[in-house]
């Protein structure tokens, strides 16, 4: 397979100090493929799982059904900053000393549906500008709390003398770990900031699935890039599948909507993985007013 035709997902281990855009730009440089996107921005100070969508798979960036994420985060109590992490300028301190028992006792309060005010240093847009752009200009914006979901949170280590520790968090898309640490500290009557962050799971991919940039570069040089790219349909495994006949495949690819008897099922409101008669993954489909058609195509035109 020619490298320009490669399409699928590359779970990349993003190194600390790189932006998510840096990673995308590097993979573009390595592969020569222009259509590349990523799922779930990671701050430069963070490392870990960054799903990168290559070729036609870049159309999937915003519709990945598995929005679960996992993080391991370092934190320090007694100090906070404008960025809510150790890269920022210290804006407040506290002399309150927290015990491991006190910390462990409040963590369960943060599990479940929560409302969270995002950090000013974030990529969320307000009136067409990203929040961090306002922050860099010294401007403040009144931020509204947003709904988030924390699936689980556990304390992995805590040094009472240094007031530093490590937590592991399972959450859903839209959660800011920096803001979570801030809120936990406030609940304990102190302040806190994040000292490091590693994402261990995102979009259905774990650390074990990831390749380093060096490994991706080697695979490209050896002509084996297509062998390490994960097929696009894997990210939609949560959806049921439909396989079309030869005639129906041709109609579907031409944008024709199919009758219920042509797809062999009754109308519902679900999304389906759609495969052609030869097993080719065509994309996602659904019913529209009694007829089955394309929701998002991933086949080569």
């Amino acid at each position: 397979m020619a490298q320009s035709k490669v399409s699928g997902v590359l779970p990349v281990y993003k190194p600390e100090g790189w932006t998510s855009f840096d990673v995308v730009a590097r993979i573009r440089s390595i592969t020569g493929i222009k259509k590349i996107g990523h799922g779930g921005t990671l701050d430069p100070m963070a490392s870990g799982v960054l799903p990168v969508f290559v070729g036609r798979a870049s159309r999937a960036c915003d519709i990945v059904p598995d929005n679960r994420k996992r993080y391991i985060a370092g934190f320090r109590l007694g100090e906070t900053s404008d960025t809510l992490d150790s890269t920022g300028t210290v804006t407040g301190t506290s002399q309150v000393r927290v015990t491991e028992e006190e910390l462990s006792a409040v963590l369960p309060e943060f599990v479940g549906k929560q409302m969270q005010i995002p950090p000013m240093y974030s990529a969320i847009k307000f009136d067409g500008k990203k929040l961090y752009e306002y922050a860099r200009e010294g401007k403040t914006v009144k931020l509204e709390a947003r709904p988030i979901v924390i699936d689980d949170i556990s304390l992995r280590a805590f040094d009472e003398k240094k007031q530093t520790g490590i937590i592991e968090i399972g959450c859903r898309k839209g959660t800011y770990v920096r803001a979570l640490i801030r809120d936990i500290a406030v609940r304990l009557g102190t302040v806190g900031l994040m000292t490091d962050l590693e994402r261990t799971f995102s979009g259905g991919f774990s650390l074990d699935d990831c390749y380093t940039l060096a490994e991706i570069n080697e695979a490209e040089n050896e002509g084996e890039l297509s062998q390490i790219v994960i097929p696009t349909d894997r990210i939609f495994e949560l959806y049921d599948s439909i396989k079309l006949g030869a005639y129906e495949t041709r109609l579907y690819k031409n944008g024709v909507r199919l009758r219920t008897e042509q797809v062999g099922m009754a109308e519902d409101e679900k999304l389906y993985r759609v495969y052609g008669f030869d097993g080719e993954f065509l994309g996602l489909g659904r019913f529209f007013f009694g007829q089955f058609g394309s929701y998002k195509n991933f086949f080569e035109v």
Side-chain angles (χ1 to χ4, degrees), residues 117-135:
I117 297 176
M120 268 301 296
Y121 279 86
S122 64
I124 296 172
K125 287 191 175 180
F126 180 85
D127 285 347
K129 286 177 64 174
K130 294 177 180 178
L131 288 180
Y132 66 74
E133 293 176 321
Y134 289 102

Side-chain angles (χ1 to χ4, degrees), residues 8 41 66 95 97 115 138 142 173-174 220:
T41 301
D66 190 343
Q95 298 303 311
R97 307 292 294 180
M115 296 298 291
K142 185 173 173 144
K173 182 179 179 181
E220 166 67 19

Side-chain angles (χ1 to χ4, degrees), residues 87-100:
T87 68
T89 301
V90 174
T91 57
T93 59
S94 171
Q95 298 303 311
V96 172
R97 307 292 294 180
V98 174
T99 67
E100 181 174 347

Side-chain angles (χ1 to χ4, degrees), residues 4 35 63 123 155 157 165 195 210 247 257 262 291 296 300:
S4 61
K35 291 184 178 179
I63 58 171
L155 184 64
T195 55
C210 288
Y247 176 64
R257 293 185 178 177
Q262 288 179 298
Q291 294 183 312
K296 180 75 74 171
E300 185 176 0

Side-chain angles (χ1 to χ4, degrees), residues 2 10 34 44 52 71 80-81 104 127 130 200 216 221 287 291:
L10 268 175
K34 293 182 179 180
V52 173
Y71 297 92
T80 190
S81 73
S104 296
D127 285 347
K130 294 177 180 178
T200 60
I216 293 169
N221 290 337
F287 282 97
Q291 294 183 312

Side-chain angles (χ1 to χ4, degrees), residues 10-184:
L10 268 175
V12 179
Y13 188 86
K14 188 193 89 65
E16 185 177 347
W18 288 57
T19 67
S20 298
F21 181 78
D22 288 339
V23 172
V24 168
R26 177 60 180 145
I27 293 177
R28 281 199 185 107
S29 175
I30 290 172
T31 65
I33 299 172
K34 293 182 179 180
K35 291 184 178 179
I36 296 180
H38 67 80
T41 301
L42 275 176
D43 292 337
M45 75 171 293
S47 61
V49 181
L50 181 69
V52 173
F53 299 83
V54 179
R56 297 187 303 278
S58 61
R59 303 168 192 169
C61 287
D62 299 325
I63 58 171
V64 176
D66 190 343
N67 65 3
R68 296 173 299 160
K69 299 180 188 296
R70 293 199 71 82
Y71 297 92
I72 296 175
F75 65 92
R76 179 165 64 247
L77 300 180
E79 186 177 83
T80 190
S81 73
D82 54 356
T83 60
L84 300 183
D85 61 41
S86 55
T87 68
T89 301
V90 174
T91 57
T93 59
S94 171
Q95 298 303 311
V96 172
R97 307 292 294 180
V98 174
T99 67
E100 181 174 347
E101 183 178 5
E102 290 170 334
L103 180 53
S104 296
V106 304
L107 292 184
E109 298 178 19
F110 291 88
V111 175
K113 294 180 179 179
Q114 309 281 328
M115 296 298 291
Q116 183 184 79
I117 297 176
M120 268 301 296
Y121 279 86
S122 64
I124 296 172
K125 287 191 175 180
F126 180 85
D127 285 347
K129 286 177 64 174
K130 294 177 180 178
L131 288 180
Y132 66 74
E133 293 176 321
Y134 289 102
R136 288 172 180 171
E137 293 170 0
K139 299 177 181 178
T140 57
V141 173
K142 185 173 173 144
L143 302 176
E144 298 289 336
R146 309 190 318 163
I148 63 167
V149 176
I150 305 293
D151 293 316
D152 61 85
I153 181 169
S154 61
L155 184 64
R156 295 183 60 163
F158 187 63
D159 185 322
E160 292 187 3
K161 184 177 180 181
K162 295 181 180 178
Q163 293 286 282
T164 59
I166 301 171
I167 52 173
E168 182 170 1
I169 306 116
C171 59
R172 303 301 172 97
K173 182 179 179 181
T175 302
Y176 283 89
V177 177
R178 288 174 289 147
L180 176 62
I181 290 171
R182 171 201 62 198
D183 295 343
I184 292 170

